[in-house]
Amino acid sequence: MTSTWSAPGRVNLIGEHVDYNDGLVLPFALPMTTTARVTLTSSGNVTVCSADVDQPVTFAVDVEPGDVTGWSAYVAGVVWALNDLISQTGEADDARPGGIRGLEVEIRSDVPVGAGLSSSAALECSVACALNDALELRLDRPTIASVARRAENDFVGVPTGAMDQLASMLCQEGYALLLDCRTMETRQVSFDPGHADLTLLVIDTHAGHELSGSEYGDRRKACEAAAARLGLGSLRDADPDQVASLDDPVLQRRARHVVTEIERVHEVVSVLDAGRVQDIGGFLTASHESLRDDFEVSVEELDVAVDAALAAGALGARMTGAGFGGCVIALCRNADVGEVEASVRAAYDQRDWVAPSIWPTTPAQGAAPAL
Ligand code: GLA
């Protein structure tokens, strides 16, 4: 039995570093996808090969955290998390031989790696979907997303929130996904910049992005500490007065970002619901300023791209994803796209930085069967 599925990377329109604070996020799927072709075998092993890597990687089907490192750990993590789920639900008994006995996995992808566009979630979700299909597990999409997230959190060991895998599984073409990370409720919010003669540019700065570095975990811990000092379960419940009462200036800044960012998601959603996509720019830029000044996850390459885009007439611009490098998004009038691109390129050129990659994007579909 062979099954092939694709799953996309994502851009987060707004709602950054709030998913692990029970907050609201608004990502959409990119047209760039990772495709996994999975063939069931009975070899006892999983062999993974990728068009981008010379040597296939092989590991045992009963792989455990720590056994596999590097890019194939994301695949191994899905196998591990799915094995665990199957054993808990008793799916793999003799009457219904649904367990993983051996696999061949072929990966191809056009999601840029290390750019903050969730290439790892795309990889995890494509493998999880293909396995769900091949093994006839009939898991629903949120469950597949949680298998993929377990791979990331508990196998690879990166303590990310729920956004990326749910975006890859649940996004729909033409819409951003409003996800309440407390209740896990979702709503599709129409996002069609082209309808208003606008373009959303993605600017990949090519600046280093290492999510497994300590900064991401540090921010999470700071948020938890701020919530604990306020006697709250999470910063979702904090109000601005409570934030102002925090006497540690760093915790106060971190918490202020979270509280104001969740409010900006509400604002952007109501503006989009009112059909006024041209009016979201100010919220995007305010989000960037908050991530730069209060949450302190921006870097110079991101700030320069945002400033150069705004100077050339972009209606709003912000870093997207975890930060410390990666991508900026800029909302521009169609007539200004050339000038915004030129302005960002010139700013990079002046500093002798590697030229950014810049492309227009629109919301694409979530995970789907592929050829
Ligand atoms: C990464 C994580 C997400 C989220 C973002 C920041 O993409 O995987 O869970 O925390 O950073 O918004």
Side-chain angles (χ1 to χ4, degrees):
M1 173 70 192
T2 293
S3 173
T4 308
W5 276 69
S6 289
R10 62 98 191 94
V11 152
N12 190 17
L13 189 56
I14 196 159
E16 216 65 85
H17 285 278
V18 297
D19 60 347
Y20 53 82
N21 288 296
D22 285 349
L24 300 171
V25 296
L26 194 62
F28 66 83
L30 286 167
M32 298 152 151
T33 59
T34 298
T35 301
R37 180 182 152 90
V38 161
T39 303
L40 301 184
T41 69
S42 51
S43 66
N45 288 322
V46 179
T47 301
V48 193
C49 60
S50 159
D52 302 323
V53 179
D54 286 347
Q55 292 296 323
V57 176
T58 299
F59 49 87
V61 281
D62 55 356
V63 63
E64 291 289 335
D67 291 352
V68 181
T69 54
W71 69 277
S72 52
Y74 295 97
V75 179
V78 170
V79 170
W80 169 78
L82 211 49
N83 271 334
D84 198 42
L85 184 76
I86 291 169
S87 67
Q88 278 170 32
T89 54
E91 293 269 9
D93 55 24
D94 286 345
R96 193 172 185 285
I100 301 172
R101 307 268 154 94
L103 295 176
E104 279 169 18
V105 184
E106 287 171 56
I107 303 293
R108 57 179 197 273
S109 182
D110 63 359
V111 186
V113 174
L117 300 176
S118 289
S119 61
S120 59
L123 175 55
E124 292 150 2
C125 290
S126 64
V127 173
C129 285
L131 276 173
N132 174 56
D133 191 30
L135 295 164
E136 297 178 31
L137 297 174
R138 296 184 199 93
L139 302 175
D140 62 18
R141 284 177 177 252
T143 305
I144 295 174
S146 73
V147 165
R149 185 182 170 197
R150 271 204 84 199
E152 179 110 20
N153 291 172
D154 300 336
F155 193 97
V156 180
V158 189
T160 52
M163 170 169 68
D164 301 342
Q165 293 80 10
L166 281 163
S168 192
M169 291 307 304
L170 299 180
C171 280
Q172 292 180 9
E173 189 176 347
Y175 295 86
L177 177 78
L178 175 61
L179 167 65
D180 182 328
C181 298
R182 166 174 281 169
T183 63
M184 293 298 154
E185 279 170 345
T186 57
R187 175 159 79 80
Q188 303 291 337
V189 177
S190 178
F191 178 60
D192 183 7
H195 190 70
D197 294 327
L198 302 175
T199 297
L200 190 79
L201 290 177
V202 179
I203 302 165
D204 184 353
T205 66
H206 300 300
H209 164 91
E210 192 40 88
L211 194 52
S212 37
S214 61
E215 296 279 4
Y216 185 90
D218 286 352
R219 294 302 181 282
R220 259 195 98 132
K221 283 190 199 129
C223 292
E224 283 157 15
R229 287 206 191 172
L230 295 173
L232 302 171
S234 77
L235 287 177
R236 170 75 178 267
D237 295 320
D239 64 32
D241 290 341
Q242 287 172 306
V243 171
S245 77
L246 284 163
D247 52 14
D248 179 321
V250 173
L251 293 190
Q252 187 181 115
R253 288 204 300 277
R254 304 294 186 254
R256 188 166 56 211
H257 165 71
V258 172
V259 169
T260 59
E261 184 77 354
I262 293 172
E263 189 51 33
R264 282 185 287 271
V265 177
H266 283 296
E267 305 261 21
V268 165
V269 169
S270 38
V271 170
L272 290 176
D273 282 345
R276 294 189 288 116
V277 60
Q278 68 279 5
D279 292 339
I280 68 168
F283 298 109
L284 302 185
T285 305
S287 168
H288 184 76
E289 289 165 354
S290 178
L291 288 156
R292 182 191 64 200
D293 301 337
D294 278 348
F295 216 64
E296 297 178 273
V297 290
S298 189
V299 290
E300 206 188 343
E301 289 88 339
L302 294 165
D303 297 340
V304 165
V306 165
D307 291 346
L310 293 173
L315 302 176
R318 62 181 290 271
M319 53 155 276
T320 185
F324 310 109
C327 289
V328 159
I329 50 172
L331 185 69
C332 322
R333 289 184 203 88
N334 288 345
D336 294 335
V337 166
E339 209 151 315
V340 169
E341 273 204 49
S343 171
V344 175
R345 289 189 188 288
Y348 271 55
D349 199 40
Q350 262 169 29
R351 290 165 177 80
D352 277 332
W353 290 347
V354 176
S357 304
I358 306 179
W359 67 92
T361 198
T362 49
Q365 66 172 359
L371 292 176

